Amino acid sequence: MSDALSNTKTATKIDALVVGAGVAGLYQLYQLRNMGLTVKALDTASNVGGTWYWNRYPGAKFDSEAYIYQYLFDEALYKNWSWSSRFPGQPEIERWMNYVADSLDLRKDILFKTTVISAHFDETTQRWLVETLAGQRFDVQYFVACGGMLSAPLENLFPGQDSFKGRLFHTARWPNEVIDFKGKRVGVIGIGATGIQVIQTIASEVDQLKVFIRTPQYVNPMANPSYGPAEVDAYKARFEELKATLPHTFSGFEYDFVHGPWKKMSVERRQEILEENWQHGALKMWLATCPEMFMDEEVSEEISEFVRQKMRDRLKDPHLCELLIPTDYGFGTHRVPLEHHYLEVYHRPNVEAISVRGNPITEIVPEGIKTADGTVYALDYVILATGFDAGSGALTRIDIRGREGRSLKEEWRKDIRTSLGLMIHGYPNLFTTGAPLAPSAALCNMTTCLQQQTEWIAECISNTRAKGVKVIEPGETFQNDWVEHHDGLANATLVVKTHSWYMGSNVEGKPRRLLSYIGGVGQYRQKCSEVTASNYAGFVLR
Ligand code: NAP
């Protein structure tokens, strides 16, 4: 008898186990339960929310419009919640996630403060044995990982972190308490979307702010009007329209590429479009200007220069321009952060921008941050806005073993491969959301993509059960074809030439591959639907 099998004696036997109680996990739990399955969701957190539970750092907010970052499967759920602004902050978003959990009566099936540490497929039973940090065991037919694509923070980056005499925070593990910045010397490492939100929020509160900048970042100003009853009524009246539109656009947002070939338009018209999209104050500039931005060096340069000039106009100081304005990659080939008076922060007398590009941070010392030239920046608080092991980290931090004992962590150390980002060859009945090689890994309004993925998974489970199929697994050829298709699209873009979490290059030793499918949300959906319609051609069903 295998170890796994003997362990099942003490395991709770249910049909499905969902990891995560965030946007995907909540809806997945709801769907599987409605199908009549016995199902539990497990989450390390003490409450629902996923990303919106963990990322409670100062200034955390949406950068998808609130009225599209929504569940659209239930009109009442959509309409019974009203947002206070176009891009609300984390506290409001967390309240909304709680509203969703309560409205759908999900809590009774969620185990909080419960971390999954391993999941082993037992070939004798054809089921998964899942174990938690506290030693609970679950014997399940379906293991559904909804652990998030940006949920494995890069926390231990610098030698000496433990020696720091002040307080050290990672933005994605921000404590649930009010942090008083008054009179404090604060260092922020990182100017991704997170760092920017933190910096622009705390700059006026702290005594001194030192921002450690390695790679400059294009930024796009956010227009964030408050919503009163009239605005709320107006967006709610668009429910059907949004439901029909969002799943089929390039990025799952309400806007899309509509202008025709970029180079065929006059220079004046192109400038008009850029200015219009810029003034829109959202991600439209990035996700709806033109697809050539991602492919064509000349177009990329034209648009990048437009953005650089906007940044120069605000920064003015040539030294700041040199530090903060990118010149060696194109606008949109990294994730574009939205900001609010962020660049102006650097004009404040209490804020200093420190380049660590040629002079890297070498360690954290008891007094603060030390750079290669030996300078020590004395600090009371260090804030790591250093990002995540994106897409794959949530899965590889669990000891997942598939058929013949293969280890996902070991396999993905060499090459990250999935089938539609929904399943993985060698791991039967393991379903994934927000995983690599799907748009939900980065290039999507998350709720649009996570609803589609969880619905695909629920339908797959329902369809196979109806046929008496116990196990489904993508065949090797199917997976190879999907990876080839994904890579073909990715390699035609400029994104693959860049360094960022999009390419996995922010994590040492992680294999380089564009994490997110770049064929568009609409096309991805169609491909998933074709698999369902073909009765899972290319998959092994038994
Ligand atoms: P990120 O984009 O990966 O940025 C990490 C930052 O830390 C980069 O500036 C990076 O510099 C810097 N860094 C990492 N290691 C460093 C080191 N050793 N020395 C100096 N700098 C270092 O992470 P993030 O800002 O947390 O954002 C991740 C994603 O989360 C975003 O792209 C977005 O998709 C999502 N997000 C969304 C929102 C929202 O508004 N909804 C808000 C925040 C985040 P390099 O670039 O040089 O590596």
Side-chain angles (χ1 to χ4, degrees):
M1 188 187 288
S2 72
D3 281 355
L5 190 58
S6 61
N7 284 339
T8 60
K9 283 183 181 159
T10 54
T12 304
K13 197 166 180 178
I14 52 176
D15 295 322
L17 195 110
V18 175
V19 180
V23 169
L26 290 182
Y27 184 35
Q28 191 74 80
L29 168 63
Y30 178 71
Q31 291 176 77
L32 297 181
R33 200 173 69 183
N34 284 354
M35 282 159 50
L37 269 65
T38 50
V39 52
K40 292 282 174 213
L42 272 47
D43 202 303
T44 304
S46 59
N47 205 341
V48 297
T51 274
W52 302 109
Y53 171 92
W54 293 106
N55 288 274
R56 51 182 73 248
Y57 59 82
K61 60 172 52 155
F62 275 155
D63 61 5
S64 294
E65 291 81 350
Y67 56 85
I68 66 155
Y69 196 99
Q70 288 286 308
Y71 294 107
L72 293 171
F73 66 90
D74 182 330
E75 188 169 353
L77 189 70
Y78 183 88
K79 292 192 171 169
N80 288 340
W81 181 267
S82 301
W83 294 103
S84 68
S85 64
R86 190 187 192 195
F87 298 109
Q90 180 275 336
E92 186 173 341
I93 304 166
E94 193 184 13
R95 286 198 294 279
W96 167 68
M97 295 292 303
N98 276 272
Y99 152 81
V100 170
D102 293 332
S103 303
L104 304 178
D105 192 20
L106 298 175
R107 286 181 198 284
K108 63 185 182 199
D109 289 316
I110 305 174
L111 297 177
F112 294 110
K113 297 184 186 170
T114 306
T115 301
V116 173
I117 56 164
S118 68
H120 294 184
F121 185 71
D122 185 322
E123 289 182 65
T124 319
T125 62
Q126 298 284 300
R127 293 171 67 88
W128 286 90
L129 186 69
V130 182
E131 189 162 345
T132 73
L133 189 59
Q136 292 148 287
R137 291 200 179 92
F138 295 88
D139 169 11
V140 303
Q141 189 175 356
Y142 308 103
F143 182 51
V144 189
C146 300
M149 38 81 76
L150 290 161
S151 56
L154 300 175
E155 290 180 274
N156 297 310
L157 278 184
F158 303 101
Q161 280 185 205
D162 289 344
S163 74
F164 183 52
K165 282 190 305 197
R167 285 188 80 176
L168 185 137
F169 307 87
H170 189 287
T171 46
R173 288 292 175 269
W174 200 265
N176 196 357
E177 64 181 274
V178 178
I179 305 295
D180 187 4
F181 290 104
K182 219 164 140 227
K184 301 293 184 206
R185 299 163 302 169
V186 181
V188 176
I189 304 175
I191 54 160
T194 303
I196 286 172
Q197 290 182 340
V198 173
I199 292 160
Q200 68 193 13
T201 305
I202 66 170
S204 60
E205 293 174 42
V206 304
D207 182 44
Q208 290 175 31
L209 181 62
K210 309 241 181 270
V211 182
F212 294 83
I213 297 164
R214 191 164 64 184
T215 307
Q217 180 85 267
Y218 291 102
V219 294
N220 193 159
M222 169 188 277
N224 191 12
S226 299
Y227 283 170
E231 289 81 9
V232 167
D233 285 351
Y235 82 65
K236 287 184 181 173
R238 296 182 58 208
F239 175 76
E240 290 298 341
E241 175 212 327
L242 292 172
K243 198 173 163 177
T245 311
L246 300 180
H248 306 288
T249 62
F250 174 72
S251 55
F253 282 71
E254 65 191 299
Y255 24 77
D256 212 345
F257 302 120
V258 291
H259 296 298
W262 186 253
K263 284 180 166 170
K264 291 225 161 109
M265 291 186 284
S266 68
V267 173
E268 293 72 28
R269 178 67 189 130
R270 300 197 308 236
Q271 284 294 308
E272 204 175 87
I273 292 167
L274 290 174
E275 195 57 47
E276 194 182 293
N277 286 350
W278 189 257
Q279 296 304 334
H280 187 256
L283 294 174
K284 191 174 184 186
M285 177 75 192
W286 177 37
L287 301 172
T289 293
C290 65
E292 294 93 324
M293 179 199 290
F294 301 97
M295 318 269 194
D296 182 321
E297 299 267 11
E298 270 177 32
V299 176
S300 169
E301 180 53 25
E302 179 185 346
I303 296 170
S304 301
E305 188 46 32
F306 174 90
V307 178
R308 287 185 205 120
Q309 190 53 49
K310 291 284 185 195
M311 293 178 72
R312 275 185 219 116
D313 291 347
R314 289 168 62 193
L315 283 169
K316 298 184 177 77
D317 176 348
H319 172 65
L320 285 179
C321 289
E322 199 187 320
L323 258 183
L324 291 161
I325 303 178
T327 51
D328 57 359
Y329 66 93
F331 175 79
T333 57
H334 287 187
R335 169 64 144 79
V336 176
L338 296 181
E339 48 84 25
H340 186 65
H341 301 312
Y342 161 69
L343 295 177
E344 287 70 20
V345 157
Y346 294 98
H347 294 143
R348 296 180 62 90
N350 68 332
V351 176
E352 186 185 358
I354 297 157
S355 175
V356 292
R357 197 162 210 182
N359 180 29
I361 297 169
T362 48
E363 60 181 312
I364 309 278
V365 293
E367 298 74 30
I369 293 175
K370 188 172 178 183
T371 49
D373 64 358
T375 309
V376 172
Y377 296 88
L379 299 164
D380 301 304
Y381 294 163
V382 169
I383 299 176
L384 303 180
T386 44
F388 303 87
D389 180 357
S392 55
L395 290 159
T396 54
R397 289 184 183 191
I398 300 172
D399 175 24
I400 296 176
R401 308 273 168 154
R403 277 191 292 104
E404 293 133 25
R406 67 187 69 194
S407 154
L408 190 67
K409 186 177 174 170
E410 291 308 316
E411 291 195 339
W412 280 12
R413 212 195 291 276
K414 296 181 206 123
D415 193 9
I416 298 174
R417 303 172 80 79
T418 71
S419 299
L420 299 159
L422 284 165
M423 298 195 81
I424 305 160
H425 173 66
Y427 300 82
N429 284 2
L430 165 64
F431 295 92
T432 56
T433 63
L437 280 67
S440 59
L443 285 168
C444 188
N445 170 44
M446 289 308 288
T447 39
T448 305
C449 282
L450 294 177
Q451 281 174 99
Q452 181 266 339
Q453 288 199 313
T454 54
E455 284 167 5
W456 188 92
I457 291 167
E459 194 179 1
C460 176
I461 291 175
S462 169
N463 287 344
T464 47
R465 283 171 83 83
K467 292 193 167 71
V469 171
K470 289 206 164 57
V471 169
I472 177 166
E473 177 192 338
E476 193 166 11
T477 306
F478 181 93
Q479 182 152 298
N480 289 344
D481 290 349
W482 179 251
V483 174
E484 196 182 321
H485 167 67
H486 168 96
D487 286 355
L489 294 171
N491 292 338
T493 72
L494 303 171
V495 183
V496 294
K497 298 182 178 168
T498 66
H499 153 87
S500 86
W501 69 263
Y502 268 21
M503 292 302 298
S505 57
N506 64 328
V507 177
E508 218 183 307
K510 188 165 173 173
R512 261 182 85 85
R513 166 165 281 132
L514 181 60
L515 285 175
S516 190
Y517 178 71
I518 202 164
V521 168
Q523 178 170 309
Y524 171 77
R525 167 180 285 264
Q526 196 183 326
K527 291 199 173 289
C528 293
S529 301
E530 282 165 14
V531 170
T532 307
S534 72
N535 194 24
Y536 309 97
F539 286 58
V540 178
L541 283 67
R542 50 177 188 273

